[in-house]
Amino acid sequence: MRSLMKWLPAAGAVGVLVLLVAWMAGVFDQRLAPGLAPQPGGQAAVYRVTVETVPVSEPVPGSVEAKQATLISSRIMARIERVLVRAGDTVSEGQLLLELEKTDLEARVAQASNQISAVRARLTEAQRNLQRSIELQERGVLSMSDRDAAQATRDSFQADVQRADEALEEARAALTYASIRSPLAGRVVDRFAEPGDTATPGLHLLSLYNPLSLRVEASVREQLALTLKVGQPVPISLPALDSVVEGVIEEIVPAAEPGSRSFLVKIRLPYDERLLPGVYARVEVPAGSEQRIRVPSALLASVGQLWLATVSGPEGPERRFLRVGQRGADGRIDVLAGLAPGDGLLPPPTTVNTGQ
């Protein structure tokens, strides 16, 4: 009797532990059969799955480039005195960009002007001598040869005046080269020189582009490029701006690149002040059509990375796992696997019962 009383507390503790484990395991809960809970309010409307013919496109990487872009250089060798713009500045056509040292050029203009004055004075004297020679020759005092010599002298000075005028125009033109102006209205991309540097012909000083002439240039494989036409609209995705715009094909280079067997396609873009040359773009090139199953996203449910659909079966609603593709702008999702034409879709249940 004493031994029984001794083991009674231990047996009671074991029994309590067993009951606690059974409760945690759900032995005392009401068990439900696997499946879906019936829809409240009766049978829901059934959406019949159909196959649709949808246009497809192939994404082609491209880059934003400026149709109107230029590199500013000097036409003479001179020291740079002032640079009036920096990268990012907006300039107008004809605006002064750089000024070069022009002391020597101004001296050449003054020298050419003085040369013209001297030659014209000699021409005036030669014309007077010719007039006197004509009068004396008409009186019979001067021979015809002397008159011809006076006329030749006058003609020679006339030619000298013409050469001096051309030299002056040349000196003035060279003087204008010291003031470098913008050939177009646009934006400064980069500045390659500073005051004090020596500008030489062919050395790049500034880089400009016209923001209104931006376009996308993309290499499209020949099978797709041959189906495109100038003036055809194509959608263009700009990930950096998180936007999709409609471009228009402006030019198709009529020669394929031998290595990649692709054609360079140039597509005009609508103006956007945020766009810059070199920005990545993705061109959605039309690639025909294909058969797809597309269903409204409201009829599907997602659990993590899994997609589920409630299908009306002969024994009631049943759940199916799906493999889906892209979501369209109309809110419909491409179903790649899990559904067949004719299946009836039900709205996803608010609760899903699972058996133990």
Side-chain angles (χ1 to χ4, degrees), residues 87 110 157 211 229 249 298 353:
F157 280 120
K229 298 180 180 179
I249 296 178
N353 297 328

Side-chain angles (χ1 to χ4, degrees), residues 216 231-236 244-250 267-270:
V216 172
Q232 177 179 347
V234 290
I236 299 176
V244 177
V245 299
E246 185 178 87
V248 178
I249 296 178
E250 188 176 55
I267 306 166
R268 185 173 65 252
L269 288 173

